[in-house]
Amino acid sequence: MSAPRTLYDKIWDDHVVDQSEDGTCLLYIDRHLVHEVTSPQAFEGLRMTHRKVRAPEKTIAVPDHNVPTTAGRDTHIDNEESRIQVEALDKNAKDFGVVYYPVSDVRQGIVHIVGPEQGWTLPGMTVVCGDSHTATHGAFGALAHGIGTSEVEHVLATQTLIQKKSKNMKVEITGSLRPGVTAKDITLSVIGATGTAGGTGHVIEYCGQAIRELSMEGRMTVCNMAIEGGARAGLIAPDEKTFAYVMGRPHAPKGATWEAALAYWKTLFTDDGAHFDKVVTLRGEDIAPVVTWGTSPEDVLPITGVVPAAEDFHGGKVEAAQRSLDYMGLKPGTKLTDIKIDTVFIGSCTNGRIEDLRAAAAVLKGKHIAPGVRAMVVPGSGLVRAQAEEEGLAQIFIDAGMEWRLAGCSMCLAMNPDQLSPGERCAATSNRNFEGRQGRGGRTHLLSPAMAAAAAITGHLTDVREMMGEDA
Amino acid sequence: MEKFTKVTGVAAPMPLVNIDTDMIIPKQFLKTIARTGLGKNLFDEMRYTLDGAEIPGFVLNQPAYRHAEIIVAGENFGCGSSREHAPWALLDFGIRCVISTSFADIFFNNCFKNGILPIALPKEAVDVLMEDARKGANARITVDLEGQTVTTSDGQSFAFDVDQFKKHCLLNGLDDIGLTLEKAKSIDSYEAKAELQRPWV
């Protein structure tokens, strides 16, 4: 009998094309997702070397980073550089014959939302994209990670990647989450506990009851931020929820092939006794709704906390914490719930799915956002947008005084016109609070969609549990 | 890709931890469709004021470091976004080597694809190199990839580890894609086998 293997081991083993003596492998890539920002130089490289895309039917392209989220964008994009990048993707997709969802297509959206939605992402696959949040697809038990543009070119030309195997790390969340606590709070709390380099060199498998109890949307939120914990990828073993989500999607297998796929997918779990190089365990009951106070995703605290002082840290983090406090304009000792916000952003590949919009709408229903607050809801795809409109969520946002936008990455990274001004403070459901991430000088507090909705209503960071009543 | 064999140059000290790729090259410069020309915007928001004037305190604006070829950095350098624009910007500025206690995975890989050598060393070694870098233009650090050593201006030497395949590619300026295409038959046979085993892919 073979030695017990982790889920990561199994997927890896099934994709090794070639292995060198030093352990360097050629790994086969089942799905290659492409967007407009990290691909132009790769396609250009192919042209210069007269190479083709090896598997255009496994290559899925969609513009998302640059696209405006306002009406009229399918006919004209004002920013010239953005327009050129989107037009370059239009042309590259056509010239090289890859699957493409242009801006005008209702299925267009953030690449990491479109992939699962269309059934391109399936359990046991290898999925890459020139984008670090490719980790999202790990929620399906797919080995998914971000790559650079040179690697994008390599995958386009060869459908493989040169890789060395990472180590195995287990993150277990035991028990159940308390009311008001969400997948976003799990993933931020893990990063808070392990640091942004805690997962470096590892692939994380998330497991435990609290993970099992999450929906597929929630699992995607957890895996999405594996990269913020430094991990190459995040994985969750597929189960009935996964299969139910996948079934019937446009590119999911059907009929007898479905049955064969299902039989294989059911083998995708970590064997008893498999070795993990690192194990982190958190109790679900201990996780509170959290927010970030600084400029690193590891700067996480329960909403009931206070802004720390630089001296609370040690080593190189003292200087970094002081720099964060200065940048964020925060005084140590300030209650997090006393931090006033100017803007709310609900969206991104972390929290731009239907369940996220439902969670925000549940808090916002019948309420209005605070005077002076600007709030923007950006669905993760055209289909999420359509569904939210059908469910009446869009009207809740509009009635609350929020902007209801078209799909895209938007203010998560502010490559399109959705940006913060210097000093503007934002409660954001996205994934990075880096300096300048949402616009130069902009100040970002990361939190869950429900917490973002609560902040929009009060105008300051707020414990959503206080809006839910005792037994909510 | 330009070969990397040995570099002797000024090293800029950047002790801040968690320097992310948004800092290295902010998003507004990702709209290019070329690989070159990003050096002037390297560390843009740390380097220039809103109206484009240089911030004198920033290390690469100081006379001693304007032509730095090496950066000695705090831990977890290059975390965050996968943007290869980060190593492109470093290279375009003239940086050929970054030394730190640790790097984020994707950035680390991206460096090797662009003729930049990222070196991870224990904290004690990085501390010594950081002090050396602080001496300015008169202290030149030597990085020898063949011998796998970093040597301070006063001759103190540290050995470093490097993946042998990546070393080979850097020393010879090899194109990964060309190397992989030599294995096209293996890819063909893998695909044929996978088509039978997992026809839904």
Side-chain angles (χ1 to χ4, degrees):
Chain A
M1 208 178 123
S2 58
R5 293 183 297 165
T6 63
L7 172 58
Y8 170 51
D9 296 337
K10 290 180 180 179
I11 302 174
W12 176 274
D13 290 348
D14 278 354
H15 289 85
V16 174
V17 171
D18 183 78
Q19 182 160 359
S20 306
E21 279 174 20
D22 71 343
T24 302
C25 288
L26 202 56
L27 202 67
Y28 194 79
I29 301 304
D30 294 323
R31 291 285 180 269
H32 186 191
L33 308 175
V34 173
H35 65 79
E36 79 279 21
V37 176
T38 56
S39 67
Q41 294 86 352
F43 283 113
E44 194 54 29
L46 293 186
R47 279 199 185 87
M48 284 160 59
T49 48
H50 308 288
R51 288 170 178 151
K52 293 188 295 189
V53 174
R54 182 181 171 99
E57 73 286 0
K58 295 174 181 174
T59 309
I60 295 97
V62 59
D64 57 5
H65 281 59
N66 267 297
V67 297
T69 55
T70 45
R73 63 182 190 168
D74 48 341
T75 51
H76 184 74
I77 296 174
D78 281 338
N79 182 287
E80 191 184 351
E81 290 171 305
S82 294
R83 191 175 70 242
I84 289 170
Q85 267 193 344
V86 172
E87 286 171 356
L89 188 63
D90 287 340
K91 179 171 166 42
N92 289 329
K94 188 162 170 273
D95 288 357
F96 290 92
V98 307
V99 181
Y100 190 47
Y101 301 104
V103 178
S104 56
D105 194 310
V106 70
R107 297 167 294 179
Q108 178 272 345
I110 305 171
V111 64
H112 306 308
I113 292 191
V114 173
E117 202 168 67
Q118 292 301 317
W120 289 113
T121 306
L122 300 172
M125 281 184 163
T126 46
V127 181
V128 297
C129 175
D131 189 285
S132 58
H133 291 110
T134 309
T136 310
H137 308 265
F140 292 82
L143 176 58
H145 59 83
I147 54 177
T149 298
S150 296
E151 290 177 316
V152 169
E153 186 178 339
H154 191 280
V155 177
L156 288 173
T158 69
Q159 206 58 28
T160 65
L161 262 188
I162 299 170
Q163 292 274 290
K164 266 201 172 159
K165 201 172 171 200
S166 302
K167 291 177 181 166
N168 280 287
M169 176 169 172
K170 175 160 91 169
V171 173
E172 184 175 10
I173 315 294
T174 63
S176 294
L177 298 179
R178 293 188 185 280
V181 181
T182 68
K184 185 64 165 287
D185 302 301
I186 292 180
T187 203
L188 282 171
S189 296
V190 170
I191 298 160
T194 61
T196 51
T200 301
H202 294 75
V203 165
I204 295 177
E205 181 177 346
Y206 298 95
C207 60
Q209 185 183 333
I211 298 293
R212 287 285 137 229
E213 289 175 358
L214 291 176
S215 65
M216 286 312 296
E217 285 87 349
R219 293 178 190 182
M220 284 189 253
T221 301
V222 170
C223 289
N224 172 275
M225 291 189 71
I227 182 69
E228 267 65 58
R232 171 151 280 264
L235 281 172
I236 295 174
D239 60 12
E240 293 303 326
K241 280 185 191 171
T242 320
F243 310 143
Y245 181 97
V246 169
M247 195 164 78
R249 299 214 170 244
H251 298 280
K254 314 241 173 345
T257 320
W258 168 265
E259 294 304 325
L262 198 59
Y264 173 74
W265 295 343
K266 287 182 175 174
T267 68
L268 299 173
F269 56 84
T270 290
D271 298 328
D272 285 342
H275 175 72
F276 284 96
D277 302 279
K278 195 169 180 178
V279 177
V280 173
T281 306
L282 297 186
R283 277 163 40 100
E285 291 84 355
D286 292 346
I287 298 174
V290 292
V291 296
T292 62
W293 56 270
T295 55
S296 167
E298 70 190 18
D299 299 339
V300 174
L301 283 173
I303 183 64
T304 48
V306 298
V307 175
E311 306 82 68
D312 297 343
F313 300 90
H314 53 84
K317 187 70 185 173
V318 177
E319 186 197 346
Q322 188 57 55
R323 188 182 166 94
S324 285
L325 291 169
D326 295 343
Y327 181 86
M328 294 295 289
L330 292 174
K331 284 203 179 65
T334 306
K335 286 168 70 176
L336 294 173
T337 49
D338 285 344
I339 297 173
K340 288 196 165 59
I341 49 122
D342 305 301
T343 304
V344 172
F345 169 63
I346 297 175
S348 83
C349 59
T350 314
N351 282 128
R353 285 169 286 269
I354 190 68
E355 182 183 274
D356 302 313
L357 303 191
R358 286 182 194 139
V363 175
L364 283 155
K365 190 170 187 181
K367 300 204 171 73
H368 201 278
I369 62 172
V373 168
R374 165 169 78 131
M376 191 186 286
V377 185
V378 185
S381 72
L383 293 179
V384 169
R385 183 180 151 90
Q387 189 175 349
E389 288 178 347
E390 200 178 294
E391 292 183 15
L393 310 179
Q395 200 55 48
I396 293 173
F397 298 132
I398 293 164
D399 291 346
M402 303 173 105
E403 297 171 34
W404 176 240
R405 297 296 193 96
L406 300 175
C409 298
S410 181
M411 202 187 264
C412 174
L413 86 167
M415 278 192 75
N416 77 347
D418 308 337
Q419 302 183 5
L420 297 180
S421 306
E424 190 174 347
R425 190 179 298 280
C426 180
T429 66
S430 44
N431 42 57
R432 291 196 174 124
N433 51 353
F434 295 155
E435 287 182 22
R437 173 79 179 181
Q438 294 193 281
R440 183 164 179 165
R443 294 162 170 168
T444 304
H445 296 278
L446 302 176
L447 33 54
S448 74
M451 289 280 284
I457 294 166
T458 62
H460 54 82
L461 296 180
T462 298
D463 189 339
V464 69
R465 293 171 297 190
E466 289 170 9
M467 291 191 167
M468 297 170 59
E470 287 294 302
D471 303 313
Chain B
M1 181 174 80
E2 197 177 336
K3 290 179 186 177
F4 188 111
T5 47
K6 189 187 244 188
V7 167
T8 298
V10 172
M14 298 191 75
L16 189 65
V17 301
N18 296 332
I19 291 179
D20 57 69
T21 54
D22 273 82
M23 281 182 180
I24 297 172
I25 186 80
K27 75 260 165 213
Q28 60 269 33
F29 306 108
L30 309 188
K31 296 186 182 186
T32 175
I33 53 172
R35 290 175 198 246
T36 52
L38 290 166
K40 61 183 183 297
N41 303 111
L42 176 69
F43 295 112
D44 193 86
E45 293 178 4
M46 302 165 90
R47 195 166 149 202
Y48 306 107
T49 61
L50 270 175
D51 55 15
E54 285 188 3
I55 297 169
F58 183 68
V59 62
L60 297 181
N61 288 334
Q62 295 167 17
Y65 300 109
R66 298 184 84 91
H67 301 287
E69 291 173 76
I70 299 164
I71 289 175
V72 184
E75 67 182 42
N76 199 26
F77 188 85
C79 60
S81 161
S82 61
R83 59 189 69 167
E84 198 161 319
H85 308 68
W88 294 339
L90 287 164
L91 187 69
D92 198 58
F93 179 89
I95 302 293
R96 295 300 309 279
C97 173
V98 185
I99 301 169
S100 176
T101 51
S102 62
F103 294 88
D105 278 346
I106 302 176
F107 175 81
F108 188 78
N109 277 327
N110 284 343
C111 282
F112 284 100
K113 313 285 183 193
N114 292 283
I116 297 175
L117 175 62
I119 299 176
L121 284 172
K123 185 168 186 310
E124 302 72 43
V126 173
D127 286 348
V128 170
L129 292 163
M130 192 72 76
E131 275 316 302
D132 204 45
R134 286 194 169 107
K135 293 177 189 164
N138 295 324
R140 290 159 70 86
I141 288 175
T142 296
V143 178
D144 175 12
L145 177 57
E146 182 69 59
Q148 294 183 214
T149 55
V150 182
T151 309
T152 64
S153 56
D154 51 13
Q156 194 175 351
S157 209
F158 301 98
F160 64 85
D161 284 334
V162 62
D163 180 283
Q164 292 306 299
F165 174 73
K166 290 188 166 100
K167 176 180 176 178
H168 174 72
C169 290
L170 263 191
L171 283 173
N172 298 291
L174 294 179
D175 163 24
D176 277 355
I177 298 176
L179 289 175
T180 297
L181 287 174
E182 290 174 10
K183 296 177 180 166
K185 278 196 179 138
S186 303
I187 304 173
D188 291 342
S189 58
Y190 175 89
E191 279 182 338
K193 190 183 72 177
E195 175 61 31
L196 293 174
Q197 290 172 346
R198 297 182 293 125
W200 57 86
V201 171

